[in-house]
Amino acid sequence: MSDIEIRDDRAAGRLEAIGGGEVVGRIEYFVLESPATALVPVHTIVEPAHEGKGIAGSLARELYGIAQREGVVVAPLCPYVVKWAERHPDEAPAADPALQRAAKAWLAAHPGRF
């Protein structure tokens, strides 16, 4: 994993893992503004040739790190990130259920976004 760089493309809503000059994995997310600011991961994707190398876990860890540095929470809708958070409660504090509901409502209101 030492040759993988993780880059946050906030404008595009992607946290990307870059290896060999190409995107080898990503978390697609949006920023929820209300009732509180939260990063909301929707999909985690790793290119098949790069699966099993810890890329998805590194992306999830970095997403929670970004949230911590920005003083916001993560309200995961992505099944992979939900499972990762359950396995790493020390790094991934649980989001308030109201934020989870708000994130689901936002996603339902923007069906073409993801």
Side-chain angles (χ1 to χ4, degrees):
M1 273 289 302
S2 62
D3 59 337
I4 298 293
E5 171 195 349
I6 297 180
R7 176 178 64 204
D8 184 16
D9 185 348
R10 182 69 53 100
R14 287 191 300 265
L15 187 63
E16 300 173 325
I18 311 296
E22 64 183 8
V23 176
V24 297
R26 68 185 180 279
I27 288 179
E28 296 176 352
Y29 72 96
F30 66 90
V31 178
L32 182 70
E33 300 292 342
S34 178
T37 304
L39 302 181
V40 184
V42 179
H43 297 295
T44 300
I45 300 149
V46 175
E47 297 302 320
H50 298 278
E51 290 176 351
K53 298 178 181 178
I55 293 170
S58 293
L59 285 164
R61 179 171 280 114
E62 180 60 18
L63 186 73
Y64 277 92
I66 289 167
Q68 181 181 24
R69 290 189 295 275
E70 293 181 4
V72 300
V73 298
V74 175
L77 298 182
C78 167
Y80 177 84
V81 178
V82 168
K83 286 183 181 11
W84 187 91
E86 289 170 356
R87 290 191 313 268
H88 300 88
D90 54 323
E91 296 177 73
D96 183 296
L99 275 179
Q100 290 292 124
R101 287 190 299 274
K104 287 178 184 175
W106 187 97
L107 191 60
H110 299 85
R113 179 79 183 355
F114 292 94

